């Protein structure tokens, strides 16, 4: 019974994700075995799509802040599972404020190569823009002993009313000041909206366990 309730709660959180934005990633391309936690705070601009089927290309621009929590578990040296939860508050042109929450489940695979560059593939399943969405990302970790820089690009694949919609291209960077502290910056160009707006996210994250 407890497992069913937990699963239902996860689906509810994922289903409430509705933002067109750059979700922060404070981790690295490299995977460390065991359990790890990341927390972060970020400022962001984002778009909320219209709830009307006939106005699905209409979006409402918001700006605000968010707090994020992610738990990651390194199953193997090259495989990691994760769960993410975020919540925040945004304002539309400083007039109308609205809170939001979102969440996702993810898996990360690292290409086993030696050298200063670590390539990885990270895929999340979320409720991005209301519809169930897969968001694969390519990561490049820079640093031989410790990863100093994480470069990434991500695309959101959403099942629309008639066909698969491809859009929402992210580009982001994580600057690891230390094994605990990370600065994240990212931009997204979204093709889900007719005007193709660009959204930005800037935040700082802290690794509770390494």
């Amino acid at each position: 019974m407890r497992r069913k309730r937990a699963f239902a709660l996860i689906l509810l959180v994922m289903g409430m994700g509705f933002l067109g934005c750059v979700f922060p990633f404070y981790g690295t391309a490299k995977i460390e075995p065991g359990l790890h936690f990341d927390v972060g705070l970020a400022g962001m601009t984002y778009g909320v799509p219209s709830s009307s089927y006939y106005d699905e290309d209409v979006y409402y621009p918001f700006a605000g802040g968010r707090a994020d929590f992610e738990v990651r578990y390194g199953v193997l040296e090259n495989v990691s599972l994760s769960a993410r939860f975020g919540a925040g508050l945004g304002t539309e042109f400083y007039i109308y404020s609205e809170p939001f929450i979102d969440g996702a489940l993810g898996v990360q695979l690292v290409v086993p190569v030696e050298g200063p560059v670590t390539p990885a593939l990270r895929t999340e399943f979320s409720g991005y823009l209301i519809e169930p969405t897969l968001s694969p990302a390519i990561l490049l970790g820079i640093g031989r002993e410790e990863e100093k820089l994480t470069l990434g690009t991500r695309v959101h694949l959403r099942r629309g009313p008639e066909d698969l919609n491809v859009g929402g291209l992210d580009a982001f960077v994580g600057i690891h000041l230390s094994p605990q502290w990370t600065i994240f910056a990212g931009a997204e160009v979204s093709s889900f909206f007719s005007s193709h707006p660009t959204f930005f996210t800037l935040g700082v994250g802290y690794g509770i366990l390494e």
Side-chain angles (χ1 to χ4, degrees), residues 146-149 174-183 204-205:
E146 291 185 358
E147 193 166 318
K148 301 296 185 182
L149 198 68
I175 303 172
H176 308 292
L177 304 179
S178 72
Q180 285 77 37
W181 291 99
T182 298
I183 295 176
V204 58

Side-chain angles (χ1 to χ4, degrees), residues 26-188:
Y26 299 110
T28 60
K30 292 182 178 180
I31 291 176
E32 300 248 343
L35 195 61
H36 303 273
F37 300 91
D38 292 322
V39 294
L41 295 174
M44 59 187 291
T45 61
Y46 59 95
V48 178
S50 170
S51 59
S52 170
Y53 173 79
Y54 298 101
D55 297 327
E56 65 175 359
D57 285 339
V58 176
Y59 82 100
Y60 302 98
F62 278 70
R66 63 182 294 151
D68 291 274
F69 174 80
E70 180 172 300
V71 55
R72 294 177 285 115
Y73 185 76
V75 181
L76 300 169
E77 195 173 308
N78 300 318
V79 181
S80 176
L81 303 177
S82 64
R84 174 176 60 79
F85 175 80
L89 179 68
T91 302
E92 181 188 13
F93 296 122
Y94 305 98
I95 298 175
Y96 176 70
S97 297
E98 183 174 306
F100 65 85
I101 64 173
D102 71 77
L105 299 176
V107 59
Q108 185 170 325
L109 305 174
V110 174
V111 180
V113 296
E114 295 185 1
V117 178
T118 302
L121 174 64
R122 176 181 171 89
T123 301
E124 286 189 339
F125 175 68
S126 69
Y128 180 93
L129 292 180
I130 302 175
E131 300 289 342
T133 302
L134 279 177
S135 302
I138 297 175
L139 306 175
L140 290 178
I142 312 298
R144 188 176 295 275
E145 297 298 329
E146 291 185 358
E147 193 166 318
K148 301 296 185 182
L149 198 68
T150 304
L151 305 176
T153 181
R154 172 173 50 199
V155 65
H156 302 286
L157 307 175
R158 182 186 64 159
R159 183 71 182 181
E162 297 181 357
D163 203 352
L164 183 68
N165 293 323
V166 178
L169 179 64
D170 297 355
F172 55 88
V173 58
I175 303 172
H176 308 292
L177 304 179
S178 72
Q180 285 77 37
W181 291 99
T182 298
I183 295 176
F184 174 90
E188 174 193 306

